[in-house]
Amino acid sequence: MKANKTKYDVNPDLAKERLKCNFNIEEVTFIIDGGKEKTLQRKKIEDIALNNGDSLDEVPEECLSIKERYENAVRKSCIYSNKVRREMLEITGIENYASPVLRRTADAFFKDISPFMLHLGMFVPALMGQSTPDQLAEWLPKALDMQIIGAYAQTELGHGTFIRGLETTATYDPEKEEFVLHSPTLTSYKWWAGGLGTTANHCVVMAQLYTKGECHGTHLFIVQIRDLDTHMPLTGIKVGEIGPRMGFSSADNGFLGFNQFRIPRENMLMKHAKVEKDGTYVKSARHGKLTYGTMVFVRVTLVSEMSFNISKAATIAVRYSAVRRQSELRPNEPEPQILDYPTQQHKLFICIATAHAFQLTASWLWNTYEVVMADMKKGNVDALPELHALSSCLKAVSTSDALSHIEQCRFACGGHGYMLSSNLPFLYSFVAATRTYEGDYTVLLLQTARFLVKAWEQAEAGKGVTQTVSYLNRSANSKRVNWDNTHEGIIKSFQAIAAGKIAQCVKSIRDRIKSGMDYEDAWLMTTVQLVGAAEAHCRAVLLGTYWNEMKRITKTSSENVRKVLHQLAVLYLMYWALEKTGDLLKYASVSKKDLDELQRRYEELLAELRPNAVGLVDAFDLRDEILHSSLGSYDGRVYERLMEEAQKSPLNAEPVNPSFHKYIKPLMLGKL
């Protein structure tokens, strides 16, 4: 299957690579997308979005000023929302407003990011998840039709992950039936919200709710912050852009402060808690858990987004590596393709496998999320702690791994990978932010660790535990597992590593309590170990889920497709086993001979995958407009595109820059 039409001849080396491929690329694409129908739907949407050329820029984004980049992003956002997105929603349906397919086409429009991203990614989900039916009828049609443009303001200048510490207040005035929003300190100003700086006119705001002199914790409020006609900030609102940052330069991340700003009582999102006209506070018995849904939703979708970003980086680096030739292995022989070097394969093939691992895990996690949300609507929140722990650790580990793998892809492209036109620096800066936003890596793993410690105590007491920690039932009272050099054996060994680390954490906490510490101090002193235990648990979940889901979805696949996807999954297992040899030696009865055999088999597997490398990244089916890369285009015209992009630099607009006559020449003549 040809992923991109091209008016140029394909680079001969890249063309030969495609001839080597021994599996049906289109069949793998269907698997990645979740079925043939979804692939056809995605391609139809991409045609609508990209075939009219609206996503193209006359001047590369990286050559524009911050102001110009933002204004260009707004222009394209409006085109995307007005024409493209309307047509696409007719295909996918309103319930799929934030589907991966729509997010993928949005990426084609924006090399950096859309100022509307948080409108679609957080503002709309918050309305859908936290509004009453009447509020949905009032606000959701306007939001989906872009009659209002929203942001989501939770993080403050002084507080991020610790939501209970937020300082913005919403105090109810029963006489006027209004809430008074106020920012009592500088650190209470909302900070970082995408689209807030200059784009949004509405905002979902998280604030501490006060009524009848009592604080009821954080709640969500929908707030108009700008005049719909003039776009000027309303009286009592102080709003602006937070300034240059490592990435997200076109997202106008903003700050927001309130000075006794009033909103109607009905602007409190009241699905799970409400304030009556007289100020009486009424909430669901499970209000705290029910309102967590929006953030869990975002964390779940981020796992899939990490798969997508790794697939882009891997496609760029693998195609480049098939075109690039380097060194002379033997006299008078052609320079080999750098993809022929095992060290290059070691850097890149794990990226392909990880993209598959994260996508299958994301689909499994999404199904779990939907089941839990359905149960919650019936009043059953028993499965929410496990979902919280899963979404927390998978968000943390997937974003961290994606960042590492994208950087590895950049390294694999040498100096050319450092060029902004390669798109690898943009991918890196984007994913670097995801490691922090919607939950910091360390904090999320510690949240998972709380769940794991409780699960260990349940297993130790002989009580049942949930499915993802069921391995604790056989580990709570046992020693090291015997090494089993099979694929299932590797997974069990990683479960043993997780169990062993959790057990050590519990022991450390108990020993510190015996020495006189209270529980929280004992926990604090054990947090380094707890982070490691949560990461180990997440590895065990990832390995087990990827392996089981791969076997499930390939049952009806053709022989060669099943074989190559099996090889990728085995590579993933072996890669992480070799990365964690220290843990294996500590928690599994593995020998040096076992590890040597594992290393040998891993290197053989790299060679077996080598002929299919380009075919595997072609199966991601990423159009050139989505890759935005001079190194990763379908036709492989790497050097021609690098030169074409270089010519677009503003410094090449004239043969002599004015600075020569103004500064350099006087310096040369000693007249400066």
Side-chain angles (χ1 to χ4, degrees), residues 4 18 46 101 175 205 249 263 269 285 365 371 390 408 443 480 572 583 631 652:
N4 294 269
R18 292 186 172 118
E46 288 176 356
V101 174
E175 291 187 8
V205 176
S249 58
I263 60 173
L269 299 185
L365 183 61
V371 169
L390 273 174
Q408 194 79 335
V443 173
R480 293 192 305 170
Y572 190 76
D583 287 338
L631 305 186
N652 290 323

Side-chain angles (χ1 to χ4, degrees), residues 22 98 138 173 284 299 311 358 378 407 524 574 660 671:
N22 65 12
E138 171 68 19
D173 178 355
S284 161
R299 290 174 183 170
S311 71
F358 285 177
K378 300 174 186 176
E407 181 76 328
L524 183 64
M574 289 183 172
F660 173 78
K671 296 180 180 181

Side-chain angles (χ1 to χ4, degrees), residues 14-25:
L14 203 51
K16 289 177 183 177
E17 291 295 327
R18 292 186 172 118
L19 292 175
K20 293 178 185 177
C21 181
N22 65 12
F23 66 90
N24 186 318
I25 293 175

Side-chain angles (χ1 to χ4, degrees), residues 19 40 43 77 88 136 145 191 238 256-257 276 299 304-305 362-363 384 391 411 507 524 539 551 571 580 609 627 656:
L19 292 175
L40 295 175
K43 293 173 81 67
S77 295
M88 290 191 294
L136 279 175
D145 203 36
W191 195 264
K238 187 174 182 180
L256 174 64
E276 303 282 10
R299 290 174 183 170
S304 177
E305 189 154 318
S363 297
L384 190 58
S391 65
F411 293 156
K507 182 178 184 302
L524 183 64
R539 292 280 170 221
K551 289 195 298 182
L571 180 89
K580 302 292 183 180
L609 281 165
L627 289 175
V656 179

